[in-house]
Amino acid sequence: MNSHNVLEIKDLNVAFGNKVVLENINLFLHNKEIMAIVGPNGGGKTTLLKTILGIYKPIKGEIKILGNKYKKLPKGLVGYLPQKDLINYNFPVLVKDVVFMGRKILKSFPYILNDQDREICFDALKRVNMEHLINTSFSNLSGGQKQRVLIARVLAMQPKILMFDEPATGLDVVGQEDFYELINKLREEDNITILMVTHDIGVISKYVDTVACLNKKIHFHGSPLDGKLSEVLDKVFGKNMQFIVHDSKCLTCMGHHTHE
Ligand SMILES: Nc1ncnc2c1ncn2[C@@H]1O[C@H](COP(=O)(O)OP(=O)(O)OP(=O)(O)O)[C@@H](O)[C@H]1O
Ligand SMILES: [Mg+2]
């Protein structure tokens, strides 16, 4: 670890009751790094993100963001897109209102946005190429468009770190490529550090700098091009590998089948 790390996790243990779900986790992300967390169902991936957010309290260890420990995560520092099915995620509001909500999180009551706040929101929509749909109803958008608007919503907080929990689920192959291109742009142009949980083992080597394989403990942390990774994945996923990667919702995997 060094002082340039944006996120540092040291000797972290998290338990629910007496069941230890995360054990001795050590991870660090430097500025503009894109890290993928992979691992089997129930391996603790979502728990790790929620612990970083301060939703779960560790029983041991510490987390630092920009070198600082925190009890409550400072507003706006980390943008988080939870694990869910995008298609079922509906707001009865316009696209711009969804993005305004992201900015309002930084305000206190009565949550009024000034011209500068609105400018930041419009800019966030531009970053994700959705400004032309600003007055469209959110519920009428495609899955990929909804995801872009939800990304704009967190960008409106001007976060330092973005965390995604299975962002590619529910997107078609083109949508997934677009998503990875977008996060690469955000990292390059907006200096954002990205941590994402994914099951797309096939695409990570193309788009991420580092991979952490998590199943209660970190079984691997390094480059996706490291030959040891596939060995570790085989061991951690075992026979379930096919099931995990080719999950019924995973359209990338369906795409991979057609190329095989
Ligand atoms: N709020 C909670 N209370 C009790 N147990 C929990 C809670 N959240 C998660 N767990 C347990 O912790 C373990 C890790 O769950 P988690 O959701 O972090 O896994 P995951 O790696 O995200 O899995 P998936 O790939 O299915 O999303 C599981 O055994 C789960 O049942
Ligand atoms: Mg999860």
Side-chain angles (χ1 to χ4, degrees):
M1 289 200 209
N2 62 52
S3 57
H4 303 296
N5 289 326
V6 171
L7 174 68
E8 296 183 358
I9 299 173
K10 203 163 166 247
D11 302 330
L12 187 81
N13 282 19
V14 176
F16 295 110
N18 53 16
K19 185 181 170 196
V20 176
V21 173
L22 295 175
E23 192 175 315
N24 199 26
I25 306 297
N26 285 283
L27 279 180
F28 48 90
L29 274 91
H30 60 72
N31 192 30
K32 294 167 77 162
E33 180 169 341
I34 300 182
M35 179 186 282
I37 301 177
V38 299
N41 297 122
K45 304 180 297 296
T46 300
T47 302
L48 178 62
L49 298 192
K50 289 187 174 173
T51 307
I52 294 168
L53 290 170
I55 296 170
Y56 299 141
K57 301 287 167 224
I59 52 171
K60 184 173 156 279
E62 65 177 33
I63 303 179
K64 285 184 183 173
I65 293 182
L66 299 175
N68 300 313
K69 284 198 259 182
Y70 53 92
K71 278 217 173 81
K72 197 166 172 282
L73 190 69
K75 275 184 187 177
L77 193 55
V78 180
Y80 171 58
L81 268 80
Q83 178 175 18
K84 65 184 148 20
D85 189 350
L86 279 170
I87 293 143
N88 294 333
Y89 199 77
N90 287 318
F91 286 115
V93 289
L94 302 180
V95 164
K96 63 181 174 195
D97 296 320
V98 175
V99 183
F100 289 158
M101 279 186 240
R103 189 71 193 167
K104 284 179 185 175
I105 290 168
L106 300 184
K107 305 267 164 181
S108 36
F109 185 81
Y111 313 109
I112 292 169
L113 299 183
N114 58 32
D115 288 347
Q116 195 197 354
D117 293 317
R118 284 169 180 266
E119 202 51 53
I120 289 166
C121 292
F122 295 138
D123 192 52
L125 272 168
K126 275 190 207 139
R127 302 294 302 140
V128 301
N129 294 327
M130 287 294 292
E131 71 272 29
H132 59 296
L133 294 174
I134 195 158
N135 288 314
T136 307
S137 165
F138 180 81
S139 55
N140 290 343
L141 301 179
S142 73
Q145 290 173 329
K146 280 181 187 162
Q147 185 184 52
R148 281 175 175 263
V149 174
L150 295 175
I151 294 171
R153 182 168 75 145
V154 290
L155 288 178
M157 304 188 310
Q158 302 182 305
K160 192 67 202 148
I161 300 174
L162 275 183
M163 298 202 303
F164 297 96
D165 201 343
E166 303 198 17
T169 307
L171 298 183
D172 63 19
V173 182
V174 175
Q176 297 192 5
E177 287 276 327
D178 287 350
F179 168 77
Y180 287 110
E181 298 292 342
L182 172 63
I183 59 166
N184 197 40
K185 182 175 93 169
L186 296 176
R187 159 269 270 291
E188 290 300 335
E189 297 173 12
D190 301 65
N191 288 325
I192 293 177
T193 302
I194 292 162
L195 181 60
M196 64 173 170
V197 171
T198 179
H199 284 160
D200 302 342
I201 288 155
V203 294
I204 55 177
S205 57
K206 192 167 160 196
Y207 294 101
V208 312
D209 305 310
T210 47
V211 177
C213 178
L214 176 65
N215 189 17
K216 189 172 169 188
K217 297 179 183 178
I218 299 289
H219 294 260
F220 174 91
H221 173 208
S223 160
L225 304 174
D226 185 331
K228 269 183 274 167
L229 176 61
S230 67
E231 222 174 277
V232 173
L233 290 176
D234 280 350
K235 210 163 85 191
V236 167
F237 283 92
K239 290 203 184 89
N240 295 324
M241 187 72 179
Q242 287 299 101
F243 171 70
I244 303 273
V245 178
H246 302 289
D247 137 70
S248 63
K249 283 189 198 153
C250 183
L251 298 170
T252 295
C253 299
M254 286 157 71
H256 283 173
H257 278 310
T258 60
H259 296 306
E260 272 165 16

